[in-house]
Amino acid sequence: MGSVQIVTTILAAAITAVAVWLAVRAVLKMVAVIRLGQPAPERFSDKVARARTMLVETAGHTRMLKWGVVGAAHWFVMVGFVVLSLLVLEAYFEVVTTDGGLPIIGHWAIFGLVTEIIGVLGLVGILVLMAIRLRNRPTRPGGRSRFTGSTMWQGYFVEWIVLLVLIFGFVIRGFKVATDHFEFPFWATPVSHAVGAVLPDWADGVSVAAAIKIIISMTWLIVISLNVTMGVAWHRFLAFPNIFFKREPAKPAGSGLGALRPMTSQGKPLDFEEADPEKDQFGVAHVEQFSWKGLLDFSTCTECGRCQSQCPAWNTGKPLSPKLLVLSLRDHAYAKAPYLLAGGGKDLTGEEKATQAQLAHLDVLALAEADKPLIGTAEEGGVIDPDVLWSCTTCGACVEQCPVDIEHVDHIVDMRRYQVLIESSFPSEAGVMLRNLENKGNPWGAPQNTREDWTKGLDFEVPRVGEVDDFEYLFWVGCAGAFEDRAKKTTRAVATLLNEAGVKFAILGEGETCSGDPARRIGNEFVFQMLAQQNVETLNEAFEGRDKAKRKIVATCPHCFNTLGNEYGQLGGEFEVVHHTQLLAHLVATGKLTPVQPVDGGVTYHDPCYLGRHNRVFAAPREVLGDAIAGDLTEMPRNSERSFCCGAGGARMWMEEKIGKRINVDRVEEAMATGAKTVAVGCPFCSTMLNDGVNGKGAGEQVEVIDVASVLLRSVKPEQPQGGKETAPVGG
């Protein structure tokens, strides 16, 4: 060992010791913060499925590859980070001696070939990612960036570190080639040999380059250890547990889609018959009241902004960005952590749990952070502004796009639950809707005895549960389908088509009440459970004696479809629920419905969030339209899982849209740009919102918004009266 090797070895050992010590300290701090969260015992179920999903999503990069080039580039960088860590380890042998290498595998030609290929592809990948970040930098002219609000220096720092580590990997090999100490043949490592051809025959070059590579790598570890909220770096470790502990590992898309996470206290679902606000947690009022998985979510955020780029609120000038919301919660949690770890915190009555002695040594900044309200305006020092919280449509675009499975919608609704149930703080206009749900069983406040008025004028009898026992499907009409004029046309169309196809169905009539979707998504879990339990009891009675396979429900509203199929199971209601477009597609495919006259004029289809993204029903409505129209369906640029919300979900249907551009107008402009004369929908909320948008653009005579079922009915029974243009909705 020469003098150079002595110096490089000491430097490598010293910086590594510091980096490892800081890293251990950082990991212990992160674990301590995450453990402050509430229990979530359900996250430990079905470990085999969880491990399988984690491996598929990480190794297969299934979420990232949806983004094409950026996904492929990121995969190469990820593989490079994992595999080429062996070359960082090898550098510790190379600082000691110029011909050092990994024991055993370090001399295998196949090892040289694999690491050479990964090194080259990693270089290409990181250069692509750097170019994408620069092209989408927030300061660029031409609009908002998905990186707006991200900590840009951290992204640049990580990318430059990766680039330099990869470069110095080839420099080390190049010096080995130049000094004739390289163990791999040209065919396995052509790039390394090419680099060696231009480097001098410097005997100590290997050790110096290896030391620089170690210093670069350990500098990265030191920097991220001193910045535990540096998600752009920490996600490469935290993504694995975050995906492993996702809510529903078997789901093909984001596990936070479909059903909402039940309202829990101390990890157990809340029973409102026994719940006590002084003993049980009602939603989330403080950051430590999120589950530990929620705190892990916040820590894992990569700041990539894919959620932000897809969010309808963000894209129409609202203050909500799912990314910035998560980052605010993350930064607040870690800033408040010293206070919480010292024993601080408020009990459910608002009293301080810690003694003065416990808090005496705390930094004033941690105490100040502890005093911040979780929800509050800038003047109040709030972490999350109320306008941010109430801008969410719960469309799920953020959850669907997140590469590390953060469950944004669950966290937003948890905060809403506390605001609604304890603080009674929510947009005033939504109060009318909630009172109508409690008193009338529907958000419009329509009389219950008018639920069957839509059946008047049909040329066949609509059977009711109790009057017939041999029905195959229970037709869940829904509040919109029963009371809202546009939606009633869809209800009549579906009933007519089912009758035409010979499908035996029945309705509950006045026995049906609201599914509870708007109450649950605004945060009023109490009203949701009241309505849901009533419906579950009614449905169980209607299906008495049948097993689940024969407890079939068809629904025209995706919100009812989602609630009945995904959430009623939490309350003892197990049903086989299909959307009407799925049933209609089946009836056409089996020849029970035959389109005879194509509908022309051009048709585009708007994917409802709760049918498409939340429940992955993309094909069925398109199959129905494909059979019913003349020519091909004209797709909007944002379609299927990237469809743009109509603006009505998350109970936004009953709240005024006062900030930025109206979401429905943005979507209507996209639909009109296709040139289609008909905008087909599969949801009554979408129908209302898009009709309002079309009328707002003054295009009511040129563009028609109708349900898929009505399009099919026009093709199957062209002589069937359609009732002219859609009329205004009842009650708003």
Side-chain angles (χ1 to χ4, degrees):
M1 181 186 292
S3 58
V4 171
Q5 282 70 41
I6 293 173
V7 172
T8 56
T9 301
I10 292 172
L11 284 173
I15 195 169
T16 300
V18 172
V20 169
W21 178 74
L22 289 173
V24 170
R25 190 183 69 166
V27 169
L28 291 175
K29 179 178 180 179
M30 295 176 77
V31 170
V33 171
I34 291 167
R35 291 184 64 185
L36 289 168
Q38 300 303 302
E42 73 280 1
R43 304 286 181 169
F44 295 91
S45 64
D46 203 353
K47 294 182 177 62
V48 173
R50 292 182 179 281
R52 181 170 56 247
T53 299
M54 180 192 69
L55 290 172
V56 168
E57 286 198 21
T58 53
H61 248 44
T62 52
R63 309 294 290 277
M64 285 292 296
L65 287 175
K66 293 178 181 179
W67 289 74
V69 172
V70 68
H74 192 276
W75 186 84
F76 289 128
V77 172
M78 180 201 73
V79 172
F81 176 81
V82 174
V83 176
L84 299 183
S85 295
L86 291 172
L87 298 187
V88 176
L89 177 60
E90 186 176 51
Y92 285 93
F93 294 91
E94 292 162 339
V95 295
V96 177
T97 174
T98 56
D99 59 353
L102 282 177
I104 305 175
I105 65 171
H107 299 281
W108 294 355
I110 188 65
F111 175 73
L113 174 63
V114 169
T115 50
E116 186 89 350
I117 293 171
I118 292 174
V120 171
L121 294 176
L123 273 173
V124 173
I126 196 62
L127 289 171
V128 168
L129 294 181
M130 293 174 80
I132 289 172
R133 187 177 294 272
L134 286 169
R135 189 184 66 195
N136 291 283
R137 65 192 184 281
T139 55
R140 83 197 196 292
R144 286 179 162 185
S145 161
R146 66 182 174 94
F147 292 118
T148 298
S150 297
T151 315
M152 294 300 288
W153 77 261
Q154 295 179 354
Y156 292 134
F157 172 78
V158 168
E159 288 168 347
W160 273 102
I161 289 289
V162 172
L163 179 64
L164 290 173
V165 167
L166 289 168
I167 288 173
F168 271 90
F170 284 108
V171 171
I172 293 170
R173 286 186 164 186
F175 274 121
K176 283 188 173 182
V177 171
T179 57
D180 202 24
H181 288 121
F182 199 42
E183 52 269 81
F184 303 122
F186 180 84
W187 64 265
T189 53
V191 176
S192 297
H193 279 82
V195 173
V198 299
L199 290 178
D201 181 4
W202 180 28
D204 295 325
V206 172
S207 295
V208 172
I212 294 173
K213 182 176 181 177
I214 290 170
I215 290 169
I216 293 170
S217 300
M218 292 304 107
T219 298
W220 173 80
L221 188 55
I222 289 170
V223 170
I224 73 167
S225 297
L226 294 173
N227 293 273
V228 290
T229 59
M230 193 170 175
V232 70
W234 282 106
H235 83 273
R236 64 187 58 194
F237 306 113
L238 297 177
F240 296 97
N242 208 54
I243 295 170
F244 181 88
F245 289 115
K246 68 195 292 187
R247 176 148 60 89
E248 296 182 66
K251 276 203 169 184
S255 75
L257 295 172
L260 279 174
R261 182 173 177 265
M263 189 167 165
T264 61
S265 181
Q266 291 300 310
K268 298 178 182 178
L270 202 62
D271 182 350
F272 276 95
E273 293 184 2
E274 301 177 359
D276 181 351
E278 293 189 1
K279 298 178 181 178
D280 296 301
Q281 179 180 314
F282 279 48
V284 169
H286 307 284
V287 72
E288 65 271 20
Q289 291 180 338
F290 286 106
S291 72
W292 61 262
K293 174 57 169 63
L295 296 178
L296 179 59
D297 271 358
F298 308 152
S299 303
T300 308
C301 179
T302 72
E303 304 190 26
C304 67
R306 286 172 180 80
C307 58
Q308 181 171 286
S309 71
Q310 302 298 298
C311 178
W314 177 260
N315 278 289
T316 53
K318 314 293 189 294
L320 168 64
S321 155
K323 177 188 72 178
L324 298 181
L325 179 140
V326 166
L327 298 187
S328 296
L329 293 171
R330 178 198 68 189
D331 293 344
H332 173 59
Y334 281 89
K336 187 178 180 181
Y339 160 78
L340 296 170
L341 292 170
K346 301 290 194 299
D347 63 21
L348 294 174
T349 64
E351 295 296 320
E352 175 60 57
K353 292 187 288 187
T355 64
Q356 286 295 326
Q358 286 176 296
L359 303 180
H361 69 284
L362 286 182
D363 184 87
V364 66
L365 294 178
L367 291 171
E369 196 73 29
D371 286 336
K372 288 184 177 180
L374 189 64
I375 307 299
T377 62
E379 292 76 16
E380 296 166 336
V383 178
I384 304 296
D385 192 278
D387 285 334
V388 169
L389 188 67
W390 297 110
S391 291
C392 180
T393 67
T394 70
C395 71
C398 49
V399 178
E400 201 275 339
Q401 289 295 326
C402 181
V404 293
D405 277 305
I406 292 172
E407 297 160 7
H408 312 72
V409 173
D410 281 341
H411 304 320
I412 288 171
V413 173
D414 270 341
M415 290 186 285
R416 285 183 172 187
R417 285 166 169 165
Y418 180 82
Q419 294 300 305
V420 172
L421 294 171
I422 302 300
E423 297 291 335
S424 296
S425 176
F426 51 88
S428 57
E429 59 270 23
V432 176
M433 178 268 291
L434 290 173
R435 287 193 295 273
N436 286 337
L437 287 177
E438 288 191 75
N439 300 326
K440 299 289 187 178
N442 69 84
W444 283 278
Q448 185 71 356
N449 61 9
T450 62
R451 268 197 181 268
E452 298 178 39
D453 284 0
W454 65 270
T455 64
K456 295 176 181 178
L458 292 174
D459 56 7
F460 58 92
E461 189 71 21
V462 177
R464 288 151 188 82
V465 172
E467 297 176 1
V468 293
D469 296 321
D470 62 341
F471 61 90
E472 182 182 3
Y473 287 94
L474 188 151
F475 182 13
W476 183 272
V477 176
C479 299
F483 301 121
E484 202 262 347
D485 284 346
R486 295 186 185 111
K488 282 195 283 188
K489 293 189 176 184
T490 300
T491 308
R492 291 166 63 88
V494 171
T496 301
L497 289 166
L498 295 181
N499 182 70
E500 180 76 11
V503 175
K504 293 182 179 180
F505 71 97
I507 63 171
L508 289 172
E510 293 183 27
E512 183 183 303
T513 191
C514 180
S515 69
D517 165 86
R520 185 167 229 197
R521 276 151 185 79
I522 203 174
N524 198 323
E525 186 74 4
F526 176 79
V527 171
F528 165 73
Q529 290 204 19
M530 178 186 73
L531 295 168
Q533 287 170 353
Q534 179 181 336
N535 283 326
V536 166
E537 184 178 337
T538 301
L539 290 167
N540 282 340
E541 183 179 337
F543 288 120
E544 189 173 0
R546 301 190 187 192
D547 57 31
K548 183 181 178 181
K550 294 184 178 179
R551 295 157 68 92
K552 297 180 180 179
I553 299 174
V554 58
T556 57
C557 175
H559 296 263
C560 296
F561 165 68
N562 177 71
T563 303
L564 271 64
N566 294 329
E567 297 185 336
Y568 276 17
Q570 299 169 3
L571 301 168
E574 296 290 338
F575 313 109
E576 191 72 40
V577 187
V578 299
H579 189 251
H580 71 283
T581 58
Q582 293 175 297
L583 181 54
L584 295 178
H586 170 72
L587 295 175
V588 173
T590 55
K592 293 182 179 179
L593 288 174
T594 305
V596 294
Q597 180 173 311
V599 176
D600 56 16
V603 178
T604 190
Y605 174 64
H606 163 78
D607 287 275
C609 299
Y610 273 85
L611 180 63
R613 190 156 41 238
H614 278 278
N615 286 284
R616 320 311 291 173
V617 179
F618 301 119
R622 288 173 169 80
E623 290 168 2
V624 174
L625 293 171
D627 289 320
I629 67 176
D632 295 329
L633 183 70
T634 305
E635 292 282 11
M636 286 182 260
R638 295 177 291 192
N639 64 77
S640 301
E641 67 269 13
R642 294 194 192 177
S643 178
F644 197 70
C645 183
C646 73
R652 289 292 324 172
M653 179 87 167
W654 290 275
M655 299 183 227
E656 292 296 328
E657 196 169 346
K658 302 173 182 176
I659 304 173
K661 184 179 182 180
R662 293 184 67 87
I663 294 173
N664 62 332
V665 170
D666 191 293
R667 185 57 165 169
V668 160
E669 288 174 352
E670 184 175 5
M672 292 174 61
T674 67
K677 300 302 180 185
T678 300
V679 180
V681 297
C683 171
F685 289 2
C686 296
S687 176
T688 295
M689 299 300 285
L690 298 188
N691 262 298
D692 288 351
V694 167
N695 292 332
K697 299 291 290 184
E701 295 300 317
Q702 294 80 41
V703 178
E704 184 179 18
V705 180
I706 60 171
D707 192 88
V708 170
S710 295
V711 176
L712 180 61
L713 182 60
R714 291 179 182 181
S715 181
V716 171
K717 300 184 72 173
E719 76 285 354
Q720 181 80 12
Q722 299 301 316
K725 296 296 274 185
E726 309 275 15
T727 57
V730 174

